[in-house]
Amino acid sequence: MQNPYIPAPVEVVKIVTEVDTKDIKTFRFAFQNKEDEAAFQYLPGQFAELSIFGKGESPIGIASSPTQPGYVEFTVQKAGVVTSALHEMEVGAVMGIRGPLGNSWPIDFLAGKNIVIVGGGFAFTTLRSLINYMIDDRNRSRFGKITVIYGARNPGLLIYKDELAAWAKRDDINLNVTVDKGDADWKGREGFVPTVCREVAPSSENAVTVICGPPVMIRFTLPVFFELGFSKENIITSLEMRMKCGIGKCGRCNVGEKYVCKDGPVFSLAELDKLTKEY
Amino acid sequence: MEKRLIKKETLAGIVGELAGKMRVCAPMKAEDQVLFRVLEAGEKPLVDFANAKNAPKNFFFPRTETLLKFTRTGKGMVRAGEPEEGEKTLLFGVRPCDARSFTLLDMLFDQEKYKDPYYIDKRAKTTIVAIACVHPPYTTCFCTSVGGNPTDSAGVDLLLTDLGNAYLAEFLTPKGEELLAAFGGSPSNAQAEKAKEGIAAKAAAEITSHIPAHEIKPILDTHFEDPFWNTLHQKCLACGTCTYLCPTCHCFDISDEVKRNDGIRIRNWDSCMFPMFTKETSGHNPRSSQKERWRQRVMHKFRYYPDNFNAIACVGCGRCVMACPVNLDIRKIVTDIAKI
Ligand SMILES: Cc1cc2nc3c(=O)[nH]c(=O)nc-3n(C[C@H](O)[C@H](O)[C@H](O)COP(=O)(O)OP(=O)(O)OC[C@H]3O[C@@H](n4cnc5c(N)ncnc54)[C@H](O)[C@@H]3O)c2cc1C
Ligand code: SF4
Ligand code: SF4
Ligand code: FES
């Protein structure tokens, strides 16, 4: 019997400090065993438990895309015990990954539709995975128009800056990056995500919105999408709850009868409407 | 199914002798309580007792359990194996309500996706010998309201029923039948089996505590928000006793312990009644007061478990009723919910 509590050993092969405040880093891991790598079949939107023996585990969304073989990436904010220990790590260190866990962005449901991606702050991680998945040459034709609206408080807090620059050059993504307040060097858009969504006004015709960000951003952005005609079935988001086991056993991450770790973290607003409001 | 009659005075000795050959866990006196524990070779277990204070789930899902070991290397801590697997065990003297709790825990730990190897290993290696409740031991027993009964055989491999002059031994499963030689006895007869039927009916009738457990699901489905929840929890001390004693509660925490260059990852029982249970690093807590925690406990047992597994996650053992320091009584709560 496979033991779902055993993490696969990985080596840290690359670390990128994403933001000026230095508390958000992207870690690239390579599996030490080929079998573990082969077994780690994931889709954008899934997460894994990052495991540091002696410190514990943290559930973190997978930031890389399965179209990028050979490694997995996670973008982690320094918060408590495990994430701080992770931030101390250097290239060459070994640790563990347990997963992939949870459901994913509903790829089959998204296929054939126009996709609107809305992200705020560093919750952009699994959306980045989805974007890279969709724009991969082998997948691009499966999806319609791709519109991305991504915001951070200031330019120094935008993550994946190199990738944003690369996406901006493509003509098959409508990329809209915004900051609440720019600085002297900032030449891009200024404004809150909900406002920018209203300005960009993506059509709801055959379209799905995938949204991830801080609760206030989501609260003010949803009405904009309702006005644009998006139904609750066509707005998809991801939940966060405190987790331990990640496999629906330890009992702490349920919202109603659903375990966010196992049945989520991805839900449509229509699905969330059916659950208790306890998250 | 093989059925035998076993002389009453021989039972404790049979089990004591088995304890010399394999790991046997059974109810034993511990000061003024009865607790399950591992027997020494030849040690005779209690056969006349009400029920154990602690639920026997501990033998499959220990209060503290090592999941894996790790050790320090130049590149960091690396995994250094798992604990040894469980050994063949006889769990003797289980009451039917507690035996039924194993079938409820199986639904969770032995799900199709994500099997829990620690639980499943110990469960598979354990044979359950239950003693039917000819006279339900407590006024707080309400097994018949939640799908059980005092002579129920769910989750049992060998069921013993006291007929007065002898035990009727029913070897219900292949695991139970492995005990035929050790338990010996004489062949059962129609008279004994008829006597058992009478005893079973009388035992069920002796249960005086009844609650509308099956009626509240539709009410819970529509009353997540209701003034009812506003006052229910007010006396609660958040001590967690109810969940620690409960045979069906399964929540746990995972944490790491390190001593010098070696460490273990362990899981410990946790409780939805504790404020920290759902508290996130940011400080956000989706269940921010005891109100939400009590609601979760009721919802989990009477709404979510039925949703996910089509079964109520309470076996009516009454432990939480007897042990709660402020007399919060799940029976009264369920009864009150039915009146909403
Ligand atoms: C599905 C999911 C995806 C996530 N993705 C990311 C991500 O991409 N990047 C990122 O930086 N953070 C992410 N988080 C949040 C991240 O898990 C917590 O910040 C992290 O667990 C804090 O752990 P710690 O040990 O540093 O903090 P401590 O306060 O020391 O935490 C102790 C333990 O509590 C649990 N815990 C505490 N807070 C949370 C929480 N908010 N969510 C889940 N478990 C928690 C963890 O088991 C943690 O190890 C995600 C959470 C979930 C549920
Ligand atoms: S909820 Fe109370 S009565 Fe029901 S099984 Fe648990 S401890 Fe026993
Ligand atoms: S035993 Fe009673 S006081 Fe303690 S947590 Fe349970 S309900 Fe609250
Ligand atoms: S994290 Fe344990 S049940 Fe979801």
Side-chain angles (χ1 to χ4, degrees):
Chain A
M1 192 186 316
Q2 203 222 332
N3 184 335
Y5 296 97
I6 297 180
V10 292
E11 186 178 324
V12 182
V13 294
K14 188 178 169 192
I15 301 173
V16 176
T17 302
E18 296 283 359
V19 292
D20 291 354
T21 46
K22 299 199 172 16
D23 61 342
I24 298 172
K25 291 183 182 175
T26 297
F27 297 85
R28 179 178 289 189
F29 301 106
F31 287 93
Q32 292 197 310
N33 305 321
K34 281 274 161 263
E35 317 81 75
D36 291 336
E37 183 177 343
F40 198 92
Q41 294 290 336
Y42 68 98
L43 283 174
Q46 286 194 283
F47 69 99
E49 289 280 350
L50 299 192
S51 189
I52 303 180
F53 292 124
K55 301 293 179 189
E57 298 186 314
S58 273
I60 305 289
I62 306 174
S64 52
S65 157
T67 51
Q68 305 162 318
Y71 61 85
V72 273
E73 285 182 346
F74 299 84
T75 302
V76 182
Q77 182 178 44
K78 186 171 166 174
V81 175
V82 178
T83 53
S84 298
L86 190 60
H87 270 248
E88 300 288 299
M89 292 225 160
E90 286 169 13
V91 168
V94 290
M95 49 178 281
I97 295 182
R98 198 155 67 75
L101 300 169
N103 63 0
S104 65
W105 298 121
I107 300 293
D108 290 338
F109 177 73
L110 300 182
K113 305 207 171 83
N114 299 321
I115 309 299
V116 183
I117 306 258
V118 183
F122 81 103
F124 194 49
T125 65
T126 60
L127 296 176
R128 174 223 198 189
S129 170
L130 178 61
I131 295 168
N132 280 327
Y133 180 86
M134 291 191 298
I135 64 173
D136 184 82
D137 288 345
R138 287 157 294 179
N139 292 331
R140 185 63 191 91
S141 61
R142 290 173 63 202
F143 302 92
K145 275 191 230 145
I146 299 176
T147 306
V148 177
I149 297 153
Y150 168 48
R153 283 208 306 280
N154 61 57
L157 291 180
L158 289 168
I159 59 176
Y160 312 133
K161 291 187 191 69
D162 293 347
E163 243 162 354
L164 292 176
W167 293 341
K169 294 199 189 104
R170 295 178 67 121
D171 56 9
D172 62 348
I173 310 182
N174 173 4
L175 179 70
N176 305 273
V177 178
T178 178
V179 295
D180 296 354
K181 189 147 186 23
D183 55 22
D185 298 331
W186 180 250
K187 297 191 188 65
R189 205 188 262 267
E190 269 189 30
F192 295 108
V193 167
T195 318
V196 175
C197 288
R198 186 168 275 121
E199 288 163 10
V200 174
S203 161
S204 58
E205 187 73 30
N206 190 35
V208 180
T209 293
V210 185
I211 179 166
C212 224
V216 288
M217 181 204 93
I218 296 196
R219 182 147 40 93
F220 288 107
T221 306
L222 289 181
V224 178
F225 281 91
F226 293 145
E227 279 168 37
L228 290 167
F230 283 81
S231 69
K232 289 185 167 178
E233 284 74 18
N234 289 332
I235 303 179
I236 318 281
T237 189
S238 184
L239 293 189
E240 213 174 280
M241 290 283 277
R242 181 165 185 170
M243 293 182 181
K244 285 288 173 175
C245 70
I247 54 173
K249 308 274 181 254
C250 77
R252 79 189 58 232
C253 74
N254 70 297
V255 175
E257 76 279 13
K258 300 281 186 219
Y259 285 103
V260 173
C261 65
K262 182 169 79 65
D263 306 312
V266 172
F267 297 95
S268 71
L269 290 195
E271 287 167 331
L272 287 184
D273 263 359
K274 292 196 207 116
L275 296 180
T276 63
K277 303 283 162 289
E278 204 170 50
Y279 43 85
Chain B
M1 184 219 313
E2 183 78 18
K3 294 185 185 183
R4 297 268 180 88
L5 290 170
I6 298 183
K7 286 209 185 84
K8 278 187 73 172
E9 61 280 9
T10 61
L11 180 64
I14 292 170
V15 178
E17 200 166 309
L18 272 170
K21 299 180 185 135
M22 67 191 294
R23 184 167 174 261
V24 175
C25 308
M28 295 294 282
K29 212 145 177 64
E31 298 183 347
D32 62 343
Q33 297 179 343
V34 173
L35 296 174
F36 279 95
R37 68 163 168 82
V38 181
L39 300 190
E40 308 282 335
E43 208 177 9
K44 288 184 184 175
L46 294 180
V47 291
D48 272 318
F49 60 95
N51 196 359
K53 177 104 178 177
N54 57 340
K57 71 175 176 188
N58 187 43
F59 294 104
F60 308 131
F61 172 48
R63 192 159 25 164
T64 293
E65 174 167 43
T66 301
L67 297 179
L68 45 87
K69 305 174 187 178
F70 46 85
T71 189
R72 198 181 303 280
T73 69
K75 289 187 153 191
M77 291 280 195
V78 299
R79 187 172 132 233
E82 286 70 60
E84 280 167 39
E85 297 211 322
E87 53 187 308
K88 214 166 147 63
T89 298
L90 184 79
L91 185 50
F92 173 84
V94 175
R95 289 300 183 192
C97 57
D98 289 341
R100 221 167 69 79
S101 78
F102 303 147
T103 65
L104 292 165
L105 292 175
D106 289 348
M107 295 170 186
L108 180 100
F109 285 118
D110 199 356
Q111 259 167 311
E112 197 158 310
K113 198 174 174 195
Y114 297 133
K115 295 187 178 297
D116 189 288
Y118 305 90
Y119 173 93
I120 293 172
D121 170 56
K122 288 189 267 292
R123 178 88 167 92
K125 288 176 180 153
T126 302
T127 305
I128 314 289
V129 181
I131 305 181
C133 297
V134 168
H135 299 293
Y138 308 111
T139 54
T140 48
C141 293
F142 61 98
C143 55
T144 49
S145 296
V146 286
N149 76 67
T151 54
D152 190 15
S153 63
V156 179
D157 296 305
L158 165 52
L159 180 65
L160 301 165
T161 308
D162 186 351
L163 302 181
N165 47 358
Y167 285 103
L168 174 67
E170 297 171 87
F171 298 83
L172 297 154
T173 64
K175 264 196 214 166
E177 282 171 356
E178 284 175 23
L179 294 170
L180 272 168
F183 276 75
S186 54
S188 156
N189 52 51
Q191 195 190 348
E193 280 153 42
K194 188 133 199 319
K196 189 208 155 177
E197 276 175 33
I199 285 170
K202 252 184 81 201
E206 273 182 39
I207 301 262
T208 52
S209 196
H210 300 282
I211 66 167
H214 290 280
E215 289 159 36
I216 64 168
K217 167 82 166 78
I219 300 170
L220 294 177
D221 281 342
T222 50
H223 290 73
F224 187 80
E225 299 296 344
D226 191 273
F228 176 79
W229 306 110
N230 292 346
T231 49
L232 164 66
H233 64 283
Q234 284 172 343
K235 290 198 291 183
C236 177
L237 309 170
C239 67
T241 301
C242 48
T243 56
Y244 274 54
L245 292 179
C246 179
T248 69
C249 279
H250 60 75
C251 292
F252 59 86
D253 185 35
I254 301 178
S255 59
D256 287 7
E257 284 181 358
V258 188
K259 257 194 204 139
R260 291 167 159 269
N261 291 324
D262 296 292
I264 47 174
R265 178 159 292 165
I266 54 175
R267 70 167 159 203
N268 295 307
W269 289 355
D270 205 341
S271 172
C272 60
M273 301 309 258
F274 295 159
M276 286 299 289
F277 188 61
T278 48
K279 190 166 179 182
E280 295 164 21
T281 310
S282 62
H284 174 65
N285 192 344
R287 293 182 211 137
S288 54
S289 80
Q290 208 60 14
K291 167 186 162 178
E292 287 83 16
R293 294 168 209 136
W294 240 107
R295 180 170 59 189
Q296 163 67 15
R297 180 162 170 254
V298 173
M299 289 280 174
H300 186 222
K301 291 188 177 301
F302 296 96
R303 173 177 159 185
Y304 306 152
Y305 227 73
D307 274 335
N308 289 329
F309 303 114
N310 202 16
I312 290 174
C314 167
V315 294
C317 71
R319 283 188 179 87
C320 60
V321 180
M322 287 185 277
C324 176
V326 294
N327 293 323
L328 275 161
D329 186 334
I330 192 88
R331 297 171 305 168
K332 179 173 184 317
I333 289 158
V334 168
T335 308
D336 287 348
I337 290 170
K339 294 183 199 142
I340 292 180

